């Protein structure tokens, strides 16, 4: 399986692709993390986070791989571990085991408290509403796609439903 | 109106606004504080929804990779294949033997013991056999100097490259090919020995 086939398989959450990437590259990430004040468990956590990042990148229509998947994955893991290290240590100088590239990161302006508030509200929201909102905000699906996936009459119905769901979510958040 | 604005904000955050519509929205956003707050609120909710689903996806991926056996995880740094390791070792051994053979050759050449075999040495060898038969003594051939040693007698069969006559000791009899004048090497040696004895 080449890198592009792997990315295509990751985009549809093919378990075989995730297992293949894990068996091929976890050793590398584990070596890197353990060389930089971490242990096997840290490496597993970093690897899972990195696979989520790779998966999310495949959801973006403007994403294209500019290096090998191995280098990309290593670079993502490096960023994640650097961020985790910088929370606990003042100087985070890394010992690298591979070449890496600069990865554009998506920043969230939310504090942990705000995130928790949204998460709690989402759990109280009905299944249909939660599905519409996650399909829209996380999976970046268009109204037509959501309509087809959730068996709504058309995109306008989804648009109205999404508005109502947002109102409901905001109400839950305000009422606590 | 509020609903329309909110839908516009959601579309803006999703990157769905383009061209004129986007320019109009951005111009409005700069001057409308209420709209700015709405964008901030929806951005925060959107980000919260993303991190909520991210957790689910992470758990899903964790469950998948949890089924991979540790034995299937490729070692890092990768261990080279045993066949290539064997070839590498063999190559190193051959190179090593080559270096040793080269060094031995240099030493042997230095000691004039390198076994060169050619038309000329074969001719000298024939002479040696004759001398051995005549004298009953052991004869040594130095192929580098193309010189025949008969105990303390040196016989040469031509112009000797690299041979210095001064190497000869007072007891040494040197016979050059051009001195033979139709005699055998054996006769020439005997004649020279006679002359030496008279001296």
């Amino acid at each position: 399986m080449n890198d592009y086939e792997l990315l295509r398989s990751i985009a549809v959450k093919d378990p075989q692709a995730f297992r293949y990437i894990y068996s091929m590259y976890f050793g590398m990430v584990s070596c890197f993390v353990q060389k930089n004040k971490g242990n096997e468990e840290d490496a597993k956590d970093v690897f899972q986070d990195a696979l989520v990042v790779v998966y999310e990148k495949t959801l973006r229509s403007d994403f294209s791989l500019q290096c090998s998947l191995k280098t990309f994955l290593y670079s993502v893991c490096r960023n994640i571990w650097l961020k985790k290290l910088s929370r606990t240590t003042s100087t985070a100088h890394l010992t690298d085991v591979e070449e890496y590239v600069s990865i554009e990161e998506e920043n969230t302006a939310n504090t942990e408290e705000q995130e928790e508030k949204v998460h709690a509200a989402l759990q109280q929201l009905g299944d249909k509403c939660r599905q519409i909102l996650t399909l829209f905000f996380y999976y970046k699906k268009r109204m037509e796609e959501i309509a087809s996936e959730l068996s709504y009459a058309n995109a306008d119905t989804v648009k109205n439903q999404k508005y109502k769901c947002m109102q409901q979510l905001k109400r839950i958040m305000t009422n606590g | 109106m509020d609903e329309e604005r909110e839908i516009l904000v959601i579309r803006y955050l999703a990157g769905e606004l383009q061209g004129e519509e986007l320019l109009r929205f951005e111009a409005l956003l700069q001057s409308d504080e209420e709209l700015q707050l709405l964008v901030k609120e929806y951005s925060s909710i959107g980000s919260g929804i993303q991190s909520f689903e991210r957790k689910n996806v992470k758990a899903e991926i964790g469950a998948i990779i949890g089924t991979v056996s540790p034995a299937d995880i490729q070692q890092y740094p990768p261990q080279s294949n045993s066949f290539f390791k064997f070839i590498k070792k063999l190559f190193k051994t051959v190179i090593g033997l080559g270096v040793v053979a080269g060094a031995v050759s240099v030493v042997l050449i230095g000691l004039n013991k390198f076994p060169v075999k050619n038309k000329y040495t074969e001719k000298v060898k024939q002479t040696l056999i004759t001398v051995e038969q005549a004298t009953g003594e052991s004869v040594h051939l130095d192929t580098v100097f193309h010189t025949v040693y008969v105990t303390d007698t040196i016989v040469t069969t031509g112009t000797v490259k690299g041979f210095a006559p001064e190497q000869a000791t007072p007891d040494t009899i040197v016979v050059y090919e051009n001195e033979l004048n139709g005699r055998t090497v054996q006769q020439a040696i005997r004649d020279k020995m006679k002359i030496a004895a008279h001296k």
Side-chain angles (χ1 to χ4, degrees):
Chain A
M1 235 191 288
N2 66 36
D3 287 354
Y4 293 98
E5 285 168 345
L6 273 173
L7 284 181
R8 273 202 296 271
S9 302
I10 288 169
V12 293
K13 287 192 193 158
D14 177 359
Q16 209 184 331
F18 286 110
R19 278 196 284 269
Y20 176 79
I21 292 175
Y22 184 72
S23 59
M24 287 298 287
Y25 304 126
F26 178 70
M28 167 185 78
V29 174
S30 177
C31 175
F32 164 73
V33 170
Q34 291 188 55
K35 269 182 190 276
N36 291 285
K37 303 172 186 169
N39 56 36
E40 183 92 357
E41 280 308 305
D42 294 324
K44 277 184 187 167
D45 196 46
V46 166
F47 202 87
Q48 277 184 39
D49 281 334
L51 284 179
V52 175
V53 172
V54 174
Y55 170 68
E56 286 179 0
K57 294 278 183 193
T58 64
L59 298 178
R60 289 174 53 163
S61 55
D62 60 343
F63 173 67
S64 70
L65 199 60
Q66 300 295 325
C67 56
S68 70
L69 182 60
K70 181 187 176 186
T71 303
F72 185 75
L73 193 65
Y74 177 77
S75 308
V76 173
C77 288
R78 190 182 187 278
N79 280 4
I80 294 170
W81 186 237
L82 185 65
K83 207 181 262 181
K84 287 193 178 178
L85 268 187
S86 59
R87 281 185 207 145
T88 51
T89 53
S90 54
T91 51
H93 171 73
L94 296 180
T95 303
D96 282 297
V97 298
E98 286 286 330
E99 280 187 13
Y100 61 92
V101 291
S102 165
I103 307 278
E104 180 201 336
E105 282 192 68
E106 282 164 25
N107 290 318
T108 168
N110 283 1
T111 61
E112 264 185 49
E113 197 187 345
Q114 280 171 314
E115 298 271 291
E116 286 304 317
K117 215 171 164 183
V118 180
H119 293 185
L122 276 167
Q123 270 159 350
Q124 290 179 51
L125 207 61
D127 282 349
K128 263 293 199 238
C129 267
R130 196 166 49 237
Q131 276 180 308
I132 291 177
L133 295 181
T134 49
L135 283 173
F136 180 76
F137 282 101
Y138 184 79
Y139 293 96
K140 319 281 183 202
K141 300 259 180 169
R142 288 179 291 117
M143 294 295 126
E144 294 81 7
E145 289 173 307
I146 298 174
S148 152
E149 206 165 308
L150 300 181
S151 309
Y152 280 100
N154 53 46
D156 284 335
T157 320
V158 178
K159 205 183 273 182
N160 293 333
Q161 190 60 37
K162 188 178 71 179
Y163 173 74
K164 284 178 189 164
C165 291
M166 279 300 274
Q167 293 302 316
Q168 206 179 325
L169 186 71
K170 276 162 70 179
R171 241 188 338 265
I172 297 171
M173 284 171 67
T174 316
N175 298 335
Chain B
M1 185 63 191
D2 274 354
E3 185 177 339
E4 270 176 32
R5 273 165 73 93
E6 291 195 22
I7 288 173
L8 208 58
V9 169
I10 293 170
R11 288 183 60 213
Y12 168 71
L13 290 172
E16 284 180 4
L17 298 187
Q18 281 177 343
E20 286 269 315
E21 200 178 15
L22 177 65
L23 290 175
R24 266 202 311 272
F25 183 85
E26 282 177 338
L28 190 64
L29 191 61
Q30 280 196 330
S31 57
D32 190 334
E33 281 187 17
E34 255 184 51
L35 189 62
Q36 285 169 13
L37 282 173
L38 199 61
V39 167
K40 203 176 167 188
E41 185 187 25
Y42 270 77
S43 165
S44 170
I45 291 173
S47 179
I49 293 169
Q50 283 172 355
S51 64
F52 178 82
E53 188 57 14
R54 192 169 289 132
K55 276 187 181 177
N56 293 337
V57 171
K58 186 180 174 182
E60 209 177 325
I61 291 173
I64 294 169
I65 61 176
T67 60
V68 176
S69 155
D72 291 335
I73 295 169
Q74 204 175 74
Q75 279 190 318
Y76 188 88
Q79 302 296 304
S80 55
N81 184 301
S82 58
F83 174 72
F84 287 112
K85 268 168 122 175
F86 169 73
I87 294 291
K88 208 171 151 184
K89 200 172 175 181
L90 187 70
F91 187 71
K92 274 185 181 173
T93 309
V94 169
I95 295 282
L97 286 175
V99 169
V100 170
V104 169
S105 302
V106 168
V107 171
L108 286 177
I109 289 169
L111 293 172
N112 301 330
K113 298 293 180 197
F114 199 72
V116 175
K117 188 178 176 183
N118 58 31
K119 196 176 157 188
Y120 184 70
T121 58
E122 285 306 301
K123 188 179 170 188
V124 172
K125 210 177 261 177
Q126 284 306 313
T127 310
L128 286 176
I129 292 164
T130 314
V131 173
E132 270 185 339
Q133 283 168 350
T135 60
E137 294 183 62
S138 67
V139 176
H140 306 283
L141 171 66
D142 185 319
T143 54
V144 174
F145 288 98
H146 310 298
T147 305
V148 180
Y149 294 89
V150 185
T151 321
D152 58 354
T153 305
I154 300 171
V155 181
T156 74
T157 53
T159 307
V160 184
K161 193 180 176 187
F163 173 72
E166 52 272 25
Q167 283 176 354
T169 63
D171 299 328
T172 305
I173 293 169
V174 182
V175 181
Y176 292 98
E177 196 174 38
N178 56 11
E179 290 179 326
L180 292 175
N181 296 325
R183 294 175 296 176
T184 62
V185 174
Q186 187 186 345
Q187 282 170 334
I189 291 169
R190 280 181 184 154
D191 290 345
K192 282 218 167 184
M193 285 173 80
K194 276 180 197 169
I195 295 164
H198 288 298
K199 281 182 181 175

